[in-house]
Amino acid sequence: MARQTPTTGNALSQSVLAGLITTMVGFVASFAVVLAGLFQVGASREQAASGLLVLSLTVGLSTIALSWRHRLPISIAWSTPGAAMLAALAPGEFGFNQAVGAFIVGGILIMSAGLVPSLHRLLTRIPVPIAHGMLAGVLIPLCLKPFTAVASTPFPALGILLVFFIGLRILPKFAVALSMLAAVGFGLWHIGRTEAWDSIEALPQLQWVSPEFSWQAIASISVPLFVVTMASQNIPGVAVLSSFGYTAPWRSTMLVTGLGSAGGALFGGHAINLAAITAALAAGEQAGADPRLRWRAAASSGVFYLVFGALSALIVSVASASPEGLFQAAAGLALLATLANALLGAMADSAWRLSALATVLVAAGNLTLFGIGGAFWALVAGLLTHFIVERNARR
């Protein structure tokens, strides 16, 4: 057996550390967004814990499988923008069983993007300002939560805001993660003060959810979830890998993440996809000097996701027993940078500015017609505005 040299051992340790950081940033910085989305579409505490657990498992296993198979630093994540879209839906609009049916359809659409080349080409033709406008619109109500929560829970809300802004000044890359940990800390403090320790559950378990299929839920959830996940995660994820000299295997990635999304939906998960923001942590120089070995950082991240999944029940218990609005406020802080980027992308092209603004406003207002939610109508409004007003104005 070949002996491991100190240099080889150090490189492996560097990859594992990069994998741990990738998982911590991805998990800690956005789990509250996932919970906010699942609770908004009717998940019980047990179903939300199951959803967070199955997302951690499918993200971990998909990351390990894809990075090992292709020897590339392919990082998978849950769809944070998709969860934010769920959190923007009107409460009680759909039951959780209907939402799960829509999640399954969304997973099938993701698989179709890998199997049908014409669908992939169609996705790349979605106007960027409209896609960004829809995302910005669904994010605005959630990004207001950190500030509106000050009225209802002033002490913890101001506390996580303070931690967030101090983090931006001292450790900007970890400011969101620090604010999430602060929310957990305030939640534990509240539980201790109210002596509600009996409500804490430590052991996670998967809970089957029987799907129900509704065309309104498919139009309101499946289609926007698919568009947001593709436009805000999968396509940028390919670009991030390309910036480091890697070519993402589109077909196999879409098949694996689509299957993981559809299968995980049966236990409460909404969608998984190529990582965009955290992809750079496993593909950059911090993951190792040799680009051919950086896949080990992604694979390590997958292993750590499996470990972090064990905390799902504990996290949901703390969130459920915390002051109302606390974790929604933390979720809003996690999405501020995403909102800023989406608004910039929506308004960057003057030829699409009015239609992008219409998209933002309709999505933010969560216009509901014929039982179909605002994200879908935001796409329709944006495209119609462009073709009626802006396209004719250029002629």
Side-chain angles (χ1 to χ4, degrees):
M1 181 183 294
R3 295 183 62 187
Q4 188 180 55
T5 65
T7 302
T8 304
N10 290 337
L12 181 59
S13 299
Q14 189 175 3
S15 296
V16 172
L17 179 59
L20 176 60
I21 293 172
T22 300
T23 303
M24 288 186 65
V25 172
F27 189 101
V28 177
S30 60
F31 72 83
V33 185
V34 173
L35 296 183
L38 294 179
F39 283 134
Q40 191 73 1
V41 291
S44 65
R45 189 173 79 173
E46 293 76 16
Q47 289 169 333
S50 175
L52 187 60
L53 172 59
V54 77
L55 286 169
S56 301
L57 295 179
T58 51
V59 164
L61 293 174
S62 298
T63 300
I64 294 169
L66 288 168
S67 58
W68 180 277
R69 169 66 179 83
H70 297 285
R71 293 299 195 271
L72 294 173
I74 302 172
S75 299
I76 304 301
W78 51 57
S79 177
T80 302
M85 185 275 296
L86 297 177
L89 291 171
E93 190 170 350
F94 302 104
F96 194 55
N97 300 79
Q98 290 177 308
V100 165
F103 298 163
I104 293 173
V105 174
I108 293 172
L109 289 174
I110 294 173
M111 284 190 285
S112 300
L115 291 171
V116 183
S118 58
L119 182 57
H120 181 203
R121 289 193 296 270
L122 179 62
L123 282 169
T124 59
R125 295 183 65 182
I126 294 175
V128 173
I130 299 299
H132 280 299
M134 185 186 72
L135 177 59
V138 300
L139 290 178
I140 286 173
L142 194 56
C143 287
L144 289 173
K145 296 290 186 182
F147 308 100
T148 57
V150 173
S152 56
T153 55
F155 175 63
L158 287 173
I160 62 172
L161 279 171
L162 183 62
V163 170
F164 177 69
F165 287 118
I166 292 175
L168 285 177
R169 183 69 179 86
I170 301 174
L171 296 169
K173 289 185 178 181
F174 300 98
V176 170
L178 290 173
S179 64
M180 290 287 185
L181 293 175
V184 173
F186 279 116
L188 291 172
W189 169 79
H190 177 77
I191 292 169
R193 187 171 63 87
T194 57
E195 297 183 353
W197 295 109
D198 291 342
S199 64
I200 299 299
E201 297 179 11
L203 297 178
Q205 60 180 5
L206 294 174
Q207 185 169 105
W208 174 273
V209 183
S210 298
E212 295 179 8
F213 297 94
S214 156
W215 70 269
Q216 292 97 335
I218 290 171
S220 299
I221 297 176
S222 305
V223 175
L225 179 61
F226 173 63
V227 172
V228 165
T229 298
M230 299 302 293
S232 302
Q233 295 285 145
N234 282 329
I235 293 175
V238 170
V240 169
L241 285 176
S242 178
S243 71
F244 289 99
Y246 302 103
T247 301
W250 177 262
R251 183 184 179 91
S252 61
T253 301
M254 293 305 101
L255 289 177
V256 169
T257 56
L259 182 61
S261 297
L266 294 169
F267 300 95
H270 66 295
I272 62 173
N273 46 245
L274 264 174
I277 299 172
T278 56
L281 298 174
E285 292 184 0
Q286 68 272 14
D290 189 348
R292 296 171 300 177
L293 298 178
R294 291 177 189 167
W295 65 270
R296 300 185 303 186
S300 299
S301 171
V303 173
F304 285 118
Y305 260 104
L306 301 181
V307 176
F308 274 52
L311 301 174
S312 57
L314 178 62
I315 290 171
V316 174
S317 296
V318 173
S320 299
S322 296
E324 185 177 355
L326 176 62
F327 275 76
Q328 290 90 332
L333 289 176
L335 294 167
L336 286 178
T338 305
L339 173 61
N341 291 331
L343 287 172
L344 286 173
M347 300 300 167
D349 189 344
S350 59
W352 287 82
R353 195 161 292 162
L354 180 61
S355 53
L357 179 60
T359 306
V360 171
L361 294 176
V362 173
N366 196 21
L367 172 69
T368 302
L369 290 173
F370 310 113
I372 301 174
F376 176 84
W377 294 117
L379 289 172
V380 173
L383 292 172
L384 284 177
T385 301
H386 178 74
F387 284 105
I388 294 173
V389 180
E390 293 169 323
R391 190 180 183 188
N392 291 330
R394 287 187 294 169
R395 291 179 177 176

